[in-house]
Every structure is written in structure tokens, then in C-alpha cells.
């Protein structure tokens, strides 16, 4: 059995990042421990990173928002001399399985998106203060910041050398952000992305690769100045104190199952299926946001989000053969709605906002998870609001109709709330209901008209909220046949099909990164020119160039 | 040496399609000759197709527009009993090299896009009249038609069985058109795309998979009726007579080079480079569209487009190791502009419109060509209007600055015309200049301000129209180094990088098909679960199911 990758980390245990605070400005210093790799067989030289480094970064970004709401500007910088960051570690990539590479890239993309969106979502703006070489994934870190400052000296440059050097893509958003965020002219982007040594100084600014180029002698002072300027100009309300993200309450079992306080993950390795059951609240909703804040990380809505997030990440990386995720809920729909309503009613409150933003991110994480996903709306379930969003995130759903013999749980219902009509957009910028009913305004209006009503099967079916409703006679057989069949299909074909069907409608930089860029990178990661014995990734550092089949496909 | 694939075909030699005409309605019957496969080793059973079948279809669609402008509705139907079309031939796919599969899919996608756009571009609406099984690529043919009629009997259904049956995607636009064109609800799309037997009758209509379901007894009559209705409602002006697309004047040489009347293709297999030189007109522009029509297929602007189109297709399929295309022009810019202006001034004239629409398609074909592309703006060149579009289609461009010793050709210039500001949009819906200057209105306005002026190097550089200008001292070395370096990179990495950098800005169904869907399909086409010895494609028809590695990546 391989080592379990843990996505929970504690700041006291960080090996690769240092964080310090100066009022509204946080200083985030990347100082990777060469010997702190997640796996054996490589050293993290020159501030290169592996998944372990990124798990810490994701934790920093998450805690910044919950534990340090006073922060308005985060300055990302390097703790090394003459190097900002050399990108993803090549030896790690060269040695990793295809599935690890792909999942690693997905997680790093999610983390980049999270700090990129922090400005719009939470008023925390990330600045990259680049001294030294900023190459490949290092420049992709900077690209996801919303302001890039580059020092003007002979060793400082930005570059995306993946294509010429490694025969792979800058796949952590690099290509997409160069053209679509930075709006670099495409022929210049072509030159930039095929030049190993990158671009520095004035040209980097002229080509829009960075926002500022600053003489080395004035660099540090200018960064401080700029950080203070941005902080002063921020419209983020002042919040004196955050909450602490305490460790999750969870138990891992031998058979792959995991027990959290509100989430039960039940693995069936033989059936290649995992059931994720989310439990409704046991306690009443807090009276107000003061009470909610006092509960902190124990508040139900936050705890549920954290546990679901951790469960999905765990399954993605550690249980790759559980190809089918079955989502269930159990609990009182009205009690759940009350917990959620407190947040929706107080969306201006910093913590309510953060919890809602977090739910948005968790649901997006579900959207881009490469597993077949189904929701079962059983009697006794609470698919309400953000939990109902799961019904529209999964690939299909089944709902129990009428009473089932021997089942005395409350009849299955679905309840739409305000959470389904705006605050949880997908990566394509639409709500899941808008994506579901693309250009069908009548269907959307019909959904809006039943907001707040607990819809039983026939009504939910009529409103188009579930794929299929089944009664006591058909339920068991139909579900069993579906689960068996789905789990027997080629996982690759499923992944690719789902990646196409889930994102109808408009595209955004985000969908393009997960859709187009990722798909091309996955392809590359399967091609002998990159990963074969004489491929560039394998030969990197050997002094011998990759040997390529020169046929264009 | 493998057999050269020829994209030129004559209707008298069609083996797979029959076309008949009834006033404004054309009847296009697919009746594939089992023994007419392009290669040995497979039979084209059940109206399945290979590249040869599609080359004929592309020819039909092209001639429909030029030779039969009287046609307003094209009815696509099957000449076989109980089968509309079974899709791409599986044995052909199973036996083909990765590069052939990918290029085959690209060409079929381009053909689908062409008849799908015929309604908007030329007033020719394609209807699919589906009797019998319409499966996989067969349904993708129907999806690209703008009206789908399905007969209601037990053997007629539409299906996309690729994923469950073959472990590959419906990659010829199928997944994208289901969600984005037909707007099938995504969970229904999930059910549909994972059900081998597909959907028929009322459900097919209810799920928006077809537009009409008609009882078998009334089907033929209803199709005639509908075709006549659409023809009567068409706003396409009546045109009595088309022009004939006479055979191209071309000579293939042993070394891979090709000589056309206006295009010179010079292959350098050792350097993995091919130079495509487009020649300006030798004769004066026709006085008016009557004179142009009299010239027919010999008219310079049409001849040039046909020859360039053929050259690109030839290189894509037959010279896969020529990874770098160098575009040059030679001729009088003003003479070229006069030829082009006649078309732009008469865009309402049916033939002027068709020639301009064809240029649009040829340029789009360049956009999605998986080769590195560069344009060299040399002295004596005529990068004007649609030829200047090539500068914005390629990955980068170099331009000669000032006089070169011993070179007495007219100084290099670039001239923008009306063709650069609207009639030739890319697949993303933007002009190439809009894509180049994404969100940079000032740069666009500056380009508009110099329309019609022959810009020398410094001015062209100032306007951002070229990547680099070089004088006599630097030209030769810089170009040589670039060509050598570019031709040494991994072709896969280049293809993927270019596919990402070329299409900044908004996405459309078209860019999504070439970008996202294609990339995922390419990935699948490299995965053992599909193409390995125990993969589904290889095992198809053996009675044994594919054996899969069940890991999700």
C-alpha cells in the first residue's frame, strides 16, 4: 500500500512556507526545504515544488481568509537568493505515475484559482514580488497573483520553458493566463513560451508579462510601498479577529472508508464505488453571526464544507480506483435550511461571506473531480440549498418516489433556496441551474417559483431537478444495475466524457484551464516524446536532450 | 512510402454518395460502398465511414455551394435499409496510427462545421432524415445538420455508444453539440452518452435529441413537405446557374514538393520544414462579377483559395514530419488588392459571397493546422487583405526592414483591407486582429486608421502587425536559427502549445470542438484502455469486452 496523502496540515508543521503579518499586509515567503519532498527520490532544489509544497500553500491561503481577515494584501516572495521559484519539480514529475501528475496539476490549479479569486471574493489581493529566476510553475504562481513586480537585474526573469526544455506544457494555467489574463499578444506569447531563458527587464513589462519592473536598489522599498497602497485603497471592511481552523475530527479505516463528524465515506473497493453521506445538523442554527463566530470552526455549515472538501481530496489522490461517487444526505431539510439561511441573510458579514465562498469552492472542486458522480435522493434526505447543488453538480440523480415498504423515514424531498440562484456559480460563470437549463428561461422561472418548497418526487421530476424518479418496485434493481454498469466502463472515457458534458454554455479562463489546457497536458503526459525512455521529462538533467518522434499528429 | 491521400475528387467517381436535385431541394444519399475503403484491412459495413467517404462528402458540400447555388435545402438520408449511418469505421480506427486518427477527426470536424454553417453563410440548410440506426459518427452527421427528423419505428434510434462500447469519445462534435447546440439537459446527456442502444421515438424528441419524430408511414412524405417548406421560407436569392469547380492544376514531386498554378509548396524533409509561397495575380482583376463569373474556377481569388486549401490538406495527411510551415507571398500588393476589392464590393453577389466564405473556411483550416507556422514578409511580397490574415493566423512573423543588398524587389510592405476587419472571423467569433489585440481597442483603432496604406517594416512593427522586423545584417542568421530551433522541438508540445495560444478570447462551439473535445479525444486515443492490446477499440467485434485499468486519473 502506498502512503496516504494528507491534505490537512498545521502551520506549526510548515516546511516550505513562512508567513508573517504586518497589519493589513501579510508576507508569504516560499522557502522550500530541499529534503521535505512528499515522496523519496527527488530533492526540491531551487524552490521547486511537489504536491506537499502545494498542500501547505493551499492551507496558507485558506487560513488567510478565515484566521486573518484583517489582511488585505498578501505579498508572495522567495526566501532564496537569485531564484523566485523553479516550478514543479522535474524529477518528481519524471518519476510520478500519470494519474499522480494529473491529480497534482488539478490541485495546484485549484489553489492558484483560489488565491487569484481572493481579491474579488474576500478583498485579499495577492502580489508577486519577483527577485531572481521565476520559471515555469514559478511564473504560473506569479500569473495567478493579481499584480506582478519584477526586479530589474541580470538574474531576474520570467519564463515558461516547459515546451522547449521538457516537451510538456505550462499546464498550471500558464498558457491560458498569458493570453487571456495578461493579454500578451499571441505571437509574443509564442516567442515567450518557446524561449528557455525567458524575458526580463523592460521587455517583460512591454509585453505585459509583468506589471512593474523596478531597479534592484529600489525593489524592496517599492514592494512595501505598493503593498501599503493597495491595502489603503482596499474596500475590504476592517475585521479585528478571525476564527481558528481547528483540526478535523476524522478517522480513516482499513477498507478505505473515513468517518468525519458530519460526513461518512463508505468505500466499496470491490464495486469500485464510494458512498459519501452528508449528515444534516444535529443542533439548531445559531441565532446570529455572533453566535456563529463563537462556534468558529465547529459551526455546522463550515464543518460540513471542510469535511466534504477533505473527503474529496482524499478520494482523488488516495483511492483512485473508486471511480464512482455516490452522494447521499440524511437529515432534516428544514433544520439544514435554517443553518444555511443565517449565512445567506448575513452575506455581508465577513465570516458568513467566507463560509459561502468556501462552499462555492468546494462545489467547484466537485465539478472538476474526475469520477462518475451520482446522487441518490432517498427518504430521510436533506437535499436543500447548497446540498441540492450537489444534485446539479453530479452526472445524474435518482429520487425515491412514494413510500417504500418498511422505510419509515420522512418522504424524499428537494428544496431549492437562495443558494441555488446565484451565490454558487460554476467555473463557467453560470449557476448550476442555468447550466442545466441552458437558454431555457421558462424552466429556470419554474424553479424560482418553487423556491422554499419541499418538492416530492413527481414535482421534482416535473421541474427537471432529477434525472429519474423510481418507486419501491424499481429502485433497488435500477440503482444496482446502474452502479454496476457505470463502474465497468473505461475510466478514461468516463473522465473525458464528463469533462465535456459538465460544462455547457460559456467558457471562462477557469473552464478553459480545466477543460482545454488540462486535456492537452494530459495528452502530452501520455506521449513518448515527454514521458518515454528517451523523452524530455526522463532525460532532464542528464545533459542529453530528449529524442523525439517528429511526426505531427 | 505510404499511399498519398488525395483530397480532390470528381463527382463522377463518387463511390459512397449519390446526389440528385429537385429545384431548390437536393437529395444527398449516403450509400457507402463496403469495398471502397481508402486503405486495406476493413470493410465499410453498415454505412460506416473512413476518410475517403468524408473526402467525398466535403466535395459534395463544396460543389453544392459553387455548382448548385439554386439549392436551398439539402436532405441527408441513407441509401441502406434499417441503418442511417454507423459512424466511423471501427476496424479502420483500430488499425490506424494515432496521427491518422487525429487528422481524420480534424477533417471530418471541418466538414461537419462547413455544412452546419451553410445555412447562415449561403442559405443552404441541411436536414437529416433519419431512418434506421443512427449511431456514433452517424448521429454526429445528423447533429451537424440544422434539423433532424427521426422515423418512429423499432429499428430507428439515435445513439452515441462510443463511451460504453469503444472507450473513446463521440469526438466529431458529438458531446459538444448535444449540450451546446441541442441543449440537452446534462444529466440526460449523461444517460444518452452511456447507453449503447440510444434513444428513440418520443423520448428522443422530449430530450431534444431530434426535432421531429414521425410515424414511419408518413415519414417520406413529411420529409418532402418539410424540405419544400424550408425552401419556400428561405431568404436565399434565386440563382439560376453555378460555376464548375474544374480539376486543380497541380504537380506532385518526388521530394514532397507540389506545384500549383498560384501556390508553390517546397518541401525540405531534412529540415522538417515546408515553404508555401502564394503568388500574386498575373492578370488584372475582372471588371465586374459578370466577368468574374465567366472566369469561373479560373478566377484568381478562387483558384488561389482552392490551391492553398488542397496544399494544406495534402501536407497535413501526407507529410506529417514537415512540422514547420513557412508562408511567403510574392506579387504586386495593389494588383492583389484590386482582385480582392471586387469581391468585397460585391459581397451581396452570390459568387463573391461564396468565394469570401471559402476564404474564411480556408483561413480557419490554417488556424487549426497542427504545425508550427511562421510568415516571412520579404521584399516583393503581397501580404494584403486575406493574405495579410495569414500573418495573424500563423504563430509568428518576421519582416524585412530597409533595402537588402543585391535584392531589387520592391520593399516589403503589409496592407490591411476590409478583409481584415470583419468578413474572415476565426472560430472564436473574433477577427484575427481582435484576437491579436484582445481588449486593446486603441491598437485596433490604430490598425483601422492605416487601412489601405502599404506599411513598411517600421510602421508595421509600430502597429503590432509583425513579431519582429530585421534588417539585411540580421535576417539570414535570425531566420535560420529560428527555423532550426523550432523544427527541433517536440512536435506534441508544439501542437498543444499552439492549440492553446492561438485561440484567446471567447469560446464558441467551434473552438470548443477543436480545443476541448479534440484534446480529450487525443488523450483517449493514446490510452491503453482504448488502443492497447486489450483495449476496447482493438477488441471491438471480437465478442470480448475491453479490459481496463480501472484507475481514475
Amino acid at each position: 500500500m502506498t502512503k496516504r496523502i494528507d491534505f490537512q496540515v498545521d502551520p506549526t508543521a510548515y516546511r516550505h512556507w513562512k508567513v508573517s503579518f504586518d497589519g493589513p499586509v501579510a508576507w508569504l515567503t516560499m522557502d522550500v526545504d530541499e529534503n521535505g519532498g512528499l515522496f523519496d527520490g527527488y530533492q526540491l532544489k531551487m524552490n521547486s515544488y511537489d504536491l506537499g509544497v502545494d498542500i501547505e500553500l493551499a492551507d496558507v491561503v485558506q487560513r488567510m481568509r478565515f484566521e486573518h481577515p484583517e489582511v488585505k494584501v498578501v505579498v508572495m516572495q522567495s526566501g532564496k537568493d537569485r531564484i523566485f521559484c523553479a516550478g514543479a519539480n522535474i524529477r518528481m514529475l519524471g518519476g510520478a505515475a500519470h494519474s499522480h501528475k494529473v491529480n497534482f496539476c488539478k490541485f495546484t490549479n485549484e489553489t492558484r484559482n483560489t488565491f487569484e479569486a481572493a481579491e474579488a471574493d474576500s478583498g485579499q489581493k495577492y502580489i508577486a514580488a519577483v527577485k531572481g529566476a521565476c520559471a515555469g510553475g514559478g511564473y504560473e504562481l506569479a500569473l495567478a497573483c493579481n499584480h506582478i513586480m519584477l526586479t530589474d537585474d541580470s538574474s531576474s526573469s520570467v519564463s515558461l520553458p516547459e515546451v522547449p526544455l521538457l516537451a510538456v506544457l505550462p499546464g498550471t494555467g500558464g498558457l491560458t493566463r498569458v493570453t487571456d489574463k495578461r493579454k500578451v499578444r499571441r505571437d509574443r506569447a509564442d516567442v515567450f513560451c518557446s524561449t528557455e531563458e525567458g524575458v526580463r527587464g523592460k521587455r517583460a513589462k512591454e509585453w505585459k508579462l509583468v506589471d512593474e519592473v523596478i531597479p534592484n536598489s529600489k525593489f524592496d522599498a517599492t514592494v512595501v510601498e505598493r503593498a501599503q497602497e493597495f491595502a489603503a485603497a482596499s474596500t475590504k471592511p476592517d475585521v479585528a479577529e478571525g476564527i481558528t481552523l481547528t483540526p478535523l475530527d476524522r478517522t480513516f479505516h482499513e477498507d478505505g472508508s473515513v468517518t468525519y463528524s458530519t460526513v461518512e465515506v463508505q468505500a466499496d473497493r470491490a464495486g469500485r464505488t464510494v458512498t459519501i453521506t452528508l449528515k444534516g445538523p444535529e443542533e439548531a442554527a445559531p441565532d446570529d453571526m455572533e453566535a456563529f463566530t463563537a462556534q468558529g470552526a465547529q459551526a455546522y455549515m463550515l464543518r460540513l464544507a471542510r469535511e466534504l472538501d477533505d473527503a474529496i481530496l482524499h478520494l482523488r489522490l488516495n483511492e483512485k480506483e473508486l471511480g464512482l461517487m455516490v452522494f447521499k444526505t440524511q437529515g432534516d431539510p428544514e433544520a439544514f435550511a435554517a443553518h444555511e439561511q443565517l449565512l445567506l441573510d448575513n452575506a455581508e458579514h465577513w465570516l458568513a461571506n467566507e463560509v459561502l465562498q468556501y462552499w462555492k469552492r468546494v462545489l467547484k472542486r466537485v465539478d472538476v473531480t474526475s469520477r462518475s458522480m451520482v446522487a441518490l435522493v432517498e427518504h430521510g434526505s436533506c437535499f436543500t440549498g447548497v446540498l441540492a447543488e450537489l444534485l446539479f453538480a453530479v452526472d445524474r440523480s435518482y429520487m425515491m418516489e412514494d413510500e417504500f415498504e418498511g422505510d419509515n423515514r420522512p418522504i424524499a424531498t428537494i428544496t431549492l433556496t437562495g443558494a441555488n440562484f446565484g451565490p454558487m456559480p460554476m467555473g463557467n460563470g453560470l449557476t448550476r441551474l442555468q447550466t442545466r437549463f441552458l437558454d431555457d428561461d421558462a424552466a429556470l422561472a419554474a424553479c424560482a417559483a418553487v423556491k422554499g418548497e419541499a418538492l416530492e418526487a413527481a414535482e421534482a421530476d416535473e421541474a427537471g431537478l432529477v434525472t429519474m424518479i423510481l418507486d419501491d418496485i424499481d429502485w433497488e434493481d435500477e440503482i444496482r444495475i446502474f452502479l454496476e454498469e457505470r463502474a465497468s466502463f473505461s475510466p478514461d472515457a468516463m473522465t473525458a466524457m464528463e469533462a465535456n458534458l459538465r460544462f455547457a454554455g460559456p467558457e471562462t479562463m477557469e473552464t478553459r484551464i480545466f477543460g482545454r489546457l488540462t486535456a492537452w497536458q494530459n495528452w502530452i503526459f501520455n506521449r513518448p516524446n515527454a514521458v518515454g525512455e528517451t523523452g524530455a521529462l526522463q532525460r532532464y538533467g542528464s545533459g542529453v536532450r530528449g529524442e523525439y518522434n517528429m511526426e505531427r499528429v
Side-chain angles (χ1 to χ4, degrees), chain A:
Chain A
M1 188 176 150
T2 53
K3 168 179 164 185
R4 181 167 57 77
I5 298 170
D6 193 345
F7 288 85
Q8 294 300 309
V9 60
D10 191 283
T12 60
Y14 288 168
R15 297 184 69 167
H16 309 296
W17 296 89
K18 296 183 176 73
V19 199
S20 66
F21 299 90
D22 181 12
V25 177
W27 296 85
L28 171 56
T29 305
M30 184 177 204
D31 193 4
V32 174
D33 177 355
E34 283 192 9
N35 300 313
L38 195 59
F39 300 100
D40 295 334
Y42 54 85
Q43 281 198 305
L44 296 172
K45 292 195 175 166
M46 299 197 298
N47 257 6
S48 64
Y49 59 84
D50 68 355
L51 181 59
V53 177
D54 236 77
I55 288 173
E56 287 187 10
L57 174 58
D59 190 70
V60 168
V61 174
Q62 177 80 332
R63 287 182 198 273
M64 201 65 81
R65 294 168 80 160
F66 284 97
E67 300 190 350
H68 297 281
E70 79 282 4
V71 169
K72 298 174 181 176
V73 173
V74 180
V75 182
M76 189 181 287
Q77 60 185 1
S78 165
K80 311 273 190 221
D81 271 348
R82 300 158 61 95
I83 183 96
F84 179 79
C85 167
N89 187 275
I90 310 302
R91 293 212 178 280
M92 176 278 292
L93 283 179
H98 183 59
S99 57
H100 182 81
K101 279 202 281 286
V102 170
N103 274 297
F104 162 68
C105 289
K106 182 171 287 175
F107 182 75
T108 54
N109 268 317
E110 290 172 320
T111 306
R112 306 295 166 276
N113 287 349
T114 301
F115 65 76
E116 182 169 49
E119 185 175 5
D121 291 352
S122 309
Q124 292 186 332
K125 184 190 188 89
Y126 281 67
I127 303 179
V130 179
K131 265 174 147 174
C134 178
Y139 181 47
E140 289 177 312
L141 271 174
L143 279 170
C145 294
N146 291 339
H147 191 77
I148 308 179
M149 306 173 77
L150 176 66
T151 194
D152 193 5
D153 65 22
S154 61
S155 69
S156 295
S157 64
V158 296
S159 65
L160 291 176
E162 285 89 341
V163 167
L165 200 62
L166 302 167
V168 301
L169 299 185
T172 316
L175 294 178
T176 310
R177 286 199 175 87
V178 163
T179 53
D180 282 71
K181 182 181 185 183
R182 307 288 318 180
K183 306 205 162 57
V184 175
R185 221 173 67 198
R186 52 167 283 204
D187 56 340
R188 288 173 169 169
D190 181 81
V191 174
F192 175 61
C193 298
S194 50
T195 306
E196 279 182 36
E197 61 274 23
V199 170
R200 61 191 174 85
K202 274 184 204 160
R203 175 176 274 191
K205 170 86 164 68
E206 192 194 327
W207 285 18
K208 304 188 193 169
L209 296 164
V210 304
D211 295 289
E212 299 186 64
V213 173
I214 300 144
N216 204 3
S217 58
K218 296 183 186 165
F219 188 75
D220 294 347
T222 310
V223 171
V224 172
E225 195 184 307
R226 199 69 72 240
Q228 285 166 348
E229 266 175 40
F230 286 140
S234 169
T235 57
K236 183 180 185 357
D238 290 319
V239 181
E241 209 177 346
I243 63 165
T244 301
L245 295 178
T246 49
L248 295 185
D249 166 13
R250 57 181 187 164
T251 311
F252 291 92
H253 306 286
E254 280 291 308
D255 69 348
S257 299
V258 196
T259 307
Y260 297 87
S261 74
T262 60
V263 177
E264 189 70 44
V265 175
Q266 198 174 347
D268 169 12
R269 286 183 182 147
R272 291 192 284 270
T273 298
V274 58
T275 302
I276 302 171
T277 305
L278 297 103
K279 299 178 200 162
E282 289 177 0
E283 60 281 17
D287 286 337
D288 52 28
M289 283 310 297
E290 202 178 334
F292 187 102
T293 308
Q295 292 181 2
Q298 292 311 307
Y300 169 77
M301 288 297 291
L302 176 53
R303 192 155 39 101
L304 182 65
R306 290 181 74 204
E307 293 179 352
L308 175 58
D309 201 20
D310 188 67
I312 289 168
L313 289 171
H314 162 68
L315 291 168
R316 272 196 199 166
L317 269 290
N318 297 313
E319 295 288 344
K320 290 177 191 146
E321 293 208 356
L322 300 179
L324 176 55
M325 290 182 173
V326 181
F327 286 93
K328 297 183 181 185
T329 60
Q330 278 292 311
D332 176 358
E334 287 183 26
F336 184 87
H339 279 262
E340 185 190 79
Q341 198 58 45
L342 176 69
L343 300 177
L344 294 172
D345 288 343
N346 293 280
E348 303 292 303
H349 185 280
W350 80 271
L351 184 54
N353 174 58
E354 288 304 343
V355 176
L356 290 172
Q357 297 290 353
Y358 186 32
W359 268 102
K360 179 175 81 176
R361 295 197 294 279
V362 174
L363 288 166
K364 285 185 182 188
R365 187 142 19 229
V366 172
D367 289 332
V368 298
T369 292
S370 296
R371 306 289 164 100
S372 292
M373 298 188 290
V374 60
L376 301 184
V377 186
E378 298 178 333
H379 294 324
S381 62
C382 55
F383 281 105
T384 299
V386 292
L387 294 185
E389 280 295 292
L390 283 172
L391 299 174
F392 319 131
V394 299
D395 299 303
R396 61 169 89 171
S397 58
Y398 295 88
M399 184 171 187
M400 287 184 172
E401 185 182 22
D402 301 335
E403 298 198 348
F404 277 40
E405 205 184 314
D407 188 341
N408 60 5
R409 296 175 298 181
I411 200 99
T413 59
I414 295 170
T415 309
L416 300 178
T417 73
N420 305 110
F421 294 91
M424 305 287 149
M426 297 174 64
N428 64 6
L430 302 183
T431 66
R432 285 177 189 76
L433 285 176
Q434 285 169 335
T435 303
R436 188 174 182 85
F437 301 114
L438 201 59
D439 293 354
D440 186 349
D441 292 341
L444 275 172
C447 290
V450 296
K451 203 170 101 172
E453 293 176 28
L455 305 173
E456 295 191 13
E459 298 161 305
D461 188 41
E462 174 68 24
L465 301 180
V466 288
T467 312
M468 223 167 279
I469 59 177
L470 296 166
D471 63 18
D472 195 8
I473 298 169
D474 293 327
W475 179 266
E476 209 172 301
D477 276 352
E478 287 274 350
I479 301 294
R480 184 181 48 74
I481 290 168
F482 161 70
L483 294 177
E484 285 175 6
E485 190 179 64
R486 189 73 166 205
S488 76
F489 291 150
S490 163
D492 304 332
M494 286 287 119
T495 293
M497 179 183 90
E498 291 152 8
N500 280 280
L501 293 182
R502 286 181 191 164
F503 297 91
E507 296 257 356
T508 62
M509 201 162 64
E510 197 172 315
T511 60
R512 203 188 290 232
I513 287 170
F514 287 114
R516 167 184 300 226
L517 184 57
T518 296
W520 283 107
Q521 183 77 306
N522 288 359
W523 176 67
I524 294 272
F525 278 160
N526 255 280
R527 298 285 292 163
N529 286 346
V531 300
E533 266 181 52
T534 64
L537 265 190
Q538 297 303 327
R539 284 210 169 158
Y540 178 76
S542 71
V544 187
R545 226 190 131 102
E547 208 168 275
Y548 306 135
N549 173 335
M550 297 309 293
E551 193 179 68
R552 278 277 185 156
V553 300

